[in-house]
Amino acid sequence: MEKAAAHAAPPGPALQAVPFMKVAAETDKVVLTRRQREQLMLIGTRLRLPPRTVIYREGAAADSVFAITEGAVKSYRELRSGKRSVCAFLFQRDLFGLAERGRYRNCTQAITRVTVYRLSLSQLTLLLKRDGDLQFQFLTKVTHELRESQRRAVLIHRRDAPGRLAMFIELMAERNDRATARTRRVPLPMSRTDMADYLGLSLETVSRAAGELVRRKLVKFETLHLAVIVDPAGLAALAAAV
Amino acid sequence: MEKAAAHAAPPGPALQAVPFMKVAAETDKVVLTRRQREQLMLIGTRLRLPPRTVIYREGAAADSVFAITEGAVKSYRELRSGKRSVCAFLFQRDLFGLAERGRYRNCTQAITRVTVYRLSLSQLTLLLKRDGDLQFQFLTKVTHELRESQRRAVLIHRRDAPGRLAMFIELMAERNDRATARTRRVPLPMSRTDMADYLGLSLETVSRAAGELVRRKLVKFETLHLAVIVDPAGLAALAAAV
DNA sequence: CGGGTCTTTGATACTCTTCAACACCCGTGG
DNA sequence: CCACGGGTGTTGAAGAGTATCAAAGACCCG
């Protein structure tokens, strides 16, 4: 566990994405070179933030882009009705804060304690235009996030709550890399309310759906924020049964 | 009408996106230089495709990226249940075909007659790495699409069909630039089924919702594929009442 | 151990989905 | 010119599922 982390995430920002093209090696993920990371560190500041910290608000002047090195962040929007819509959950090696016309479009808030790199937007722009390879990594990363976002849209098409939740758990399991593959444990750092706001369900329905998955012996919950996959095949079948 | 088109879309591919930073000019949209367009034309082929042409299928080997210069395209996924989920509707100056590990992730099909530039992925990659400014345009564009995708996710959070449809019409109106602003006409080239698959509703519900909007005198339909906004404020209010 | 937050559980109402029949548009062929 | 047929869209009635409101229970942190 520590070995992988030490080798994959040396000091400095990192990005996780799947490349456009098929690569020969089993290097499934894009990685930045040491030099690229060092350059990013030069224009960035490392921040450690406690849970619930609001990193920025919708509409705020955007002068920075953020790269997560540790922890979980949610990106959401406040709707007039007082409800929230969670756009994405962001983890290690994710990027956020890509603004529109100098303004952020979402709010972002730390879920757990997080470590992020705050990169100056203007300096980053210059750096990217200068270093075509680095920019290509960013392009790949954003494309990756676009695909993830579209996948979520597919998820929302399901009308049944247990199915949506099953897909969600699989999503989170994927994000947790191979740690889940071995232990079958899936950390769900966000609250039930956040999950509901992401899945487009009420929190009561999420709760009931979770109970249903447990009843069907597909998963169980060691704690509220740690699911264990009891029947991987069954869960996958339900998740795929769109 | 023709004047604007002639000035904004000279020969060659174009991209429409909102920049990260606030720009001084009222140039709201990113535009490619003539030289960049010419470079793209060098590595691309112009294709004219009749309606219903399937441009590529999910899982197919991806060797090209496409830029639309005219017409409408839908990007969708076939679900096991036989249903479809439409990920996005794509128009003039949109980009599609960003692959994952050498495979396309969605199917794309022409809705109307379309003109697209097919760009060789390998050559585009080289070109982008060489031309930092051009690549930055692509980065901006993909980021723009990411935001659009997230916006759709917000849209889906509404449970009421008339509200979803109202948002959809506003979305389409925006895409139609200022043409709608003057004439209040919104072209909806896609079928009701496509709209349903995009909105996460059944087509019957879309039909009923359309009837409801007409009944409330918010819009009317000149033809099935051409909506007219009767009460812009009322429609906007309903669309924003998330 | 206690207060507050978050989660679970229960009953009712509401909206959409589904299934089915019907209307419409348009190109084809008589 | 009109009748026909397929695809597409509309309308109707019954059923399923979730949202909502309300209240009790579990958990965390000080």
Side-chain angles (χ1 to χ4, degrees):
Chain A
M1 177 158 56
E2 279 309 311
K3 203 190 73 187
H7 134 265
L15 299 177
Q16 172 167 351
V18 175
F20 296 120
M21 312 232 225
K22 184 158 188 155
V23 286
E26 72 274 12
T27 318
D28 213 29
K29 313 282 167 75
V30 170
V31 285
L32 301 179
T33 64
R34 174 166 292 278
R35 190 162 158 283
Q36 288 174 331
R37 263 200 285 266
E38 284 167 0
Q39 285 184 306
L40 287 175
M41 287 175 74
L42 282 178
I43 64 168
T45 333
R46 188 153 157 274
L47 302 176
R48 314 204 100 214
L49 306 170
R52 290 161 191 271
T53 308
V54 173
I55 303 173
Y56 56 76
R57 288 214 147 76
E58 181 179 347
D63 55 356
S64 309
V65 170
F66 299 84
I68 306 180
T69 59
E70 196 188 347
V73 170
K74 68 178 172 189
S75 164
Y76 63 95
R77 259 156 136 152
E78 308 266 4
L79 308 179
R80 331 208 155 182
S81 53
K83 300 186 180 180
R84 289 181 169 181
S85 173
V86 172
C87 301
F89 292 110
L90 302 153
F91 304 95
Q92 212 172 74
R93 301 187 200 174
D94 279 339
L95 213 57
F96 65 95
L98 295 160
E100 183 173 315
R101 266 188 230 104
R103 303 263 159 206
Y104 292 120
R105 295 297 313 226
N106 305 318
C107 307
T108 48
Q109 184 179 25
I111 292 175
T112 62
R113 185 158 63 80
V114 297
T115 310
V116 298
Y117 268 86
R118 176 193 195 121
L119 306 167
S120 154
L121 179 56
S122 54
Q123 290 183 59
L124 178 62
T125 302
L126 290 176
L127 178 58
L128 291 181
K129 287 191 182 174
R130 204 158 4 99
D131 184 343
D133 285 322
L134 178 61
Q135 186 171 195
F136 195 73
Q137 308 278 14
F138 272 74
L139 181 58
T140 304
K141 177 60 182 170
V142 175
T143 304
H144 184 80
E145 290 201 8
L146 173 59
R147 277 191 300 257
E148 287 294 311
S149 175
Q150 291 188 342
R151 215 169 133 186
R152 180 196 167 200
V154 172
L155 186 158
I156 299 282
H157 261 57
R158 312 194 61 153
R159 205 136 285 281
D160 63 315
R164 284 195 196 182
L165 186 58
M167 289 183 81
F168 181 70
I169 293 173
E170 297 250 304
L171 266 177
M172 290 300 119
E174 266 178 47
R175 286 311 311 256
N176 197 35
D177 266 331
R178 284 106 195 175
T180 294
R182 289 200 316 280
T183 65
R184 295 184 172 181
R185 280 176 168 67
V186 186
L188 304 171
M190 69 293 294
S191 70
R192 294 286 191 262
T193 302
D194 286 339
M195 290 169 51
D197 291 343
Y198 180 80
L199 295 172
L201 298 169
S202 68
L203 83 137
E204 293 95 327
T205 302
V206 170
S207 179
R208 277 185 260 263
E212 179 66 23
L213 294 187
V214 172
R215 213 165 302 120
R216 294 194 205 170
K217 297 198 193 313
L218 297 175
V219 303
K220 62 183 177 185
F221 286 90
E222 280 195 2
T223 76
L224 272 173
H225 297 293
L226 184 61
V228 184
I229 301 179
V230 177
D231 177 1
L235 187 68
L238 176 58
V242 189
Chain B
M1 176 154 59
E2 277 310 310
K3 203 191 73 188
H7 134 265
L15 298 178
Q16 173 167 352
V18 174
F20 297 120
M21 313 232 223
K22 184 157 189 156
V23 286
E26 70 277 12
T27 318
D28 211 31
K29 312 284 167 73
V30 170
V31 285
L32 300 180
T33 63
R34 174 165 290 279
R35 192 163 156 282
Q36 288 174 332
R37 263 200 285 268
E38 285 167 359
Q39 284 185 307
L40 287 176
M41 288 175 75
L42 282 178
I43 63 167
T45 331
R46 187 154 157 275
L47 301 176
R48 315 202 101 214
L49 306 170
R52 291 160 190 270
T53 309
V54 173
I55 304 173
Y56 56 76
R57 289 216 146 76
E58 180 179 347
D63 54 358
S64 309
V65 171
F66 299 84
I68 305 180
T69 59
E70 196 188 347
V73 170
K74 68 179 173 188
S75 164
Y76 62 95
R77 258 156 136 150
E78 308 266 5
L79 307 180
R80 330 208 155 183
S81 53
K83 298 186 180 179
R84 289 180 170 183
S85 173
V86 172
C87 301
F89 292 111
L90 303 154
F91 304 96
Q92 213 173 74
R93 301 187 200 175
D94 279 339
L95 213 57
F96 65 95
L98 295 159
E100 183 174 316
R101 265 187 230 105
R103 302 265 160 206
Y104 292 120
R105 294 298 311 230
N106 304 318
C107 307
T108 49
Q109 184 179 24
I111 292 175
T112 63
R113 187 158 60 82
V114 298
T115 311
V116 299
Y117 269 86
R118 177 196 194 117
L119 306 167
S120 154
L121 178 56
S122 54
Q123 290 183 60
L124 178 62
T125 303
L126 290 175
L127 178 58
L128 291 180
K129 287 192 183 174
R130 201 154 12 94
D131 183 343
D133 285 321
L134 179 61
Q135 186 172 197
F136 194 73
Q137 308 277 16
F138 272 74
L139 181 58
T140 304
K141 177 60 181 170
V142 175
T143 304
H144 184 81
E145 290 202 8
L146 174 59
R147 277 192 300 257
E148 287 293 310
S149 174
Q150 291 186 343
R151 214 169 135 188
R152 180 196 166 199
V154 172
L155 186 158
I156 299 283
H157 259 59
R158 313 194 59 153
R159 208 139 281 282
D160 64 313
R164 282 194 196 183
L165 186 57
M167 291 185 80
F168 180 70
I169 293 173
E170 297 250 303
L171 264 176
M172 289 301 119
E174 266 179 47
R175 286 311 312 252
N176 198 36
D177 264 331
R178 283 105 194 176
T180 295
R182 291 199 315 280
T183 65
R184 296 185 172 180
R185 280 177 170 68
V186 186
L188 303 171
M190 68 294 292
S191 69
R192 294 284 191 262
T193 303
D194 286 339
M195 289 170 51
D197 291 343
Y198 180 80
L199 295 172
L201 297 169
S202 67
L203 86 137
E204 293 95 328
T205 303
V206 170
S207 178
R208 278 185 259 263
E212 180 65 23
L213 294 186
V214 172
R215 212 166 303 120
R216 295 193 206 170
K217 297 197 194 312
L218 298 175
V219 303
K220 63 182 175 185
F221 287 89
E222 282 196 1
T223 75
L224 272 173
H225 297 294
L226 184 61
V228 184
I229 300 180
V230 176
D231 177 1
L235 187 67
L238 176 57
V242 189

